[in-house]
Amino acid sequence: MIELRNLEKRYDNPLTGQPFYAVKDLSLIFPSGEITALLGPSGCGKTTTLRMINRLIEPTAGQILVEGENTQSLRPEALRRRIGYVIQQIGLFPHLSVAQNVATVPDLLGQPKAKTRARVRELLELVGLEPGQFGDKRPSELSGGQQQRVGVARALAADPPVLLMDEPFGALDPLARDKLQEAFREIQHNLKKTIVMVTHDIDEALKLGDKVALLNAGELAQFGTPDDLVRRP
Ligand code: ADP
Ligand code: ADP
């Protein structure tokens, strides 16, 4: 589980000195083994919150606990082991093959090559890409949906308990999106990761989220199951 305690990100306007709170006094629990959709309009602080969890952005106040440990006291490698990250712009390395892309983190962590090889094949199967057919291809030879599948496989490669996803289906056409959402639901059904999924799409949040956290102007507006949210006026 991930716990945010009074999390804050303040930016001071360099011209006026006026403070601006991208995230303000945010206390929230993302339960273990569940998908929590972090929902809200553009600019409400979703990405900032997500990036504070993996410490790509430093909070100006508050704490983040991942599986009970304060992320501030974790070394970067320890954080990478615990947290996988999937973004809309994918960010696959174009000069590496699909399999090499998936193997990036295990290789970085110095895991045994033979184990990684087997793991890469397993992950490609898991996201619905036949390893023999796709493993040695370059990302540019794949469709957007297939590339995004590789992105998911890569994020799962080191088997982190936590997965952070920023608009993971946002760049896909509706058909590819539906297919990947289905595959993803199946994956989560088997793996039961703690997932935080940023989206501005309410249908997606209600469809995939076990819980939905609604942000408004950097603050928590609502938190509950999809049923809780639709029942409320
Ligand atoms: P969302 O992901 O919900 O669209 P963000 O978390 O990206 O929103 O941004 C929240 C707010 O913080 C926005 O108003 C954005 O303009 C502001 N913001 C983000 N980064 C910076 C920055 N480096 N300096 C000043 N303001 C920023
Ligand atoms: P090496 O020669 O050490 O395997 P590579 O650059 O060929 O190095 O591969 C880098 C990583 O990608 C390794 O961890 C390897 O296991 C993995 N890898 C490469 N090709 C495949 C493949 N076709 N199937 C599974 N894993 C692969």
Side-chain angles (χ1 to χ4, degrees):
M1 121 182 160
I2 306 169
E3 189 177 353
L4 311 183
R5 289 186 185 162
N6 310 103
L7 196 63
E8 174 196 288
K9 182 64 187 181
R10 191 190 71 234
Y11 291 107
D12 293 319
N13 185 316
L15 297 176
T16 64
Q18 285 275 42
F20 167 80
Y21 294 92
V23 173
K24 196 174 177 193
D25 197 26
L26 182 62
S27 295
L28 185 56
I29 284 177
F30 302 105
S32 292
E34 292 192 359
I35 301 176
T36 304
L38 203 51
L39 175 70
S42 180
C44 73
K46 304 182 296 293
T47 295
T48 304
T49 301
L50 203 70
R51 289 166 74 91
M52 284 195 282
I53 297 172
N54 61 9
R55 299 210 92 83
L56 291 173
I57 295 178
E58 282 302 310
T60 46
Q63 273 122 43
I64 301 164
L65 290 96
V66 174
E67 318 275 297
E69 285 198 79
N70 194 322
T71 56
Q72 196 110 49
S73 57
L74 287 173
R75 297 210 318 247
E77 313 86 84
L79 205 59
R80 294 287 90 82
R81 257 179 234 273
R82 283 175 176 75
I83 300 177
Y85 187 39
V86 181
I87 55 174
Q88 184 178 323
Q89 300 79 2
I90 314 174
L92 298 178
F93 301 114
H95 58 290
L96 298 181
S97 72
V98 163
Q100 287 169 333
N101 265 283
V102 177
T104 313
V105 175
D107 282 353
L108 218 63
L109 294 170
Q111 290 180 7
K113 282 282 162 104
K115 196 176 141 204
T116 300
R117 220 180 164 76
R119 175 87 183 130
V120 167
R121 301 183 67 85
E122 188 184 300
L123 284 163
L124 289 177
E125 299 262 13
L126 188 70
V127 298
L129 297 173
E130 163 57 40
Q133 187 186 347
F134 290 99
D136 294 324
K137 288 210 158 112
R138 303 279 148 181
S140 61
E141 299 173 76
L142 272 55
S143 73
Q146 289 166 340
Q147 290 183 36
Q148 199 60 325
R149 286 168 190 256
V150 178
V152 172
R154 186 174 63 180
L156 292 169
D159 200 21
V162 172
L163 203 55
L164 306 180
M165 311 180 86
D166 198 342
E167 302 271 4
F169 312 109
L172 303 177
D173 63 75
L175 192 68
R177 189 181 57 218
D178 283 353
K179 275 164 68 180
L180 189 55
Q181 284 176 339
E182 261 332 298
F184 182 69
R185 259 223 282 235
E186 187 62 30
I187 291 170
Q188 172 63 358
H189 183 75
N190 295 320
L191 298 186
K192 292 267 178 270
K193 302 280 179 192
T194 305
I195 297 178
V196 184
M197 180 186 75
V198 161
T199 180
H200 63 265
D201 178 344
I202 183 153
D203 292 331
E204 182 169 279
L206 296 175
K207 179 173 165 192
L208 292 179
D210 298 300
K211 299 277 165 31
V212 179
L214 183 64
L215 290 188
N216 180 34
E219 296 186 80
L220 186 64
Q222 283 185 32
F223 181 81
T225 64
D227 278 353
D228 292 339
L229 262 79
V230 290
R231 257 194 251 114
R232 248 175 257 191

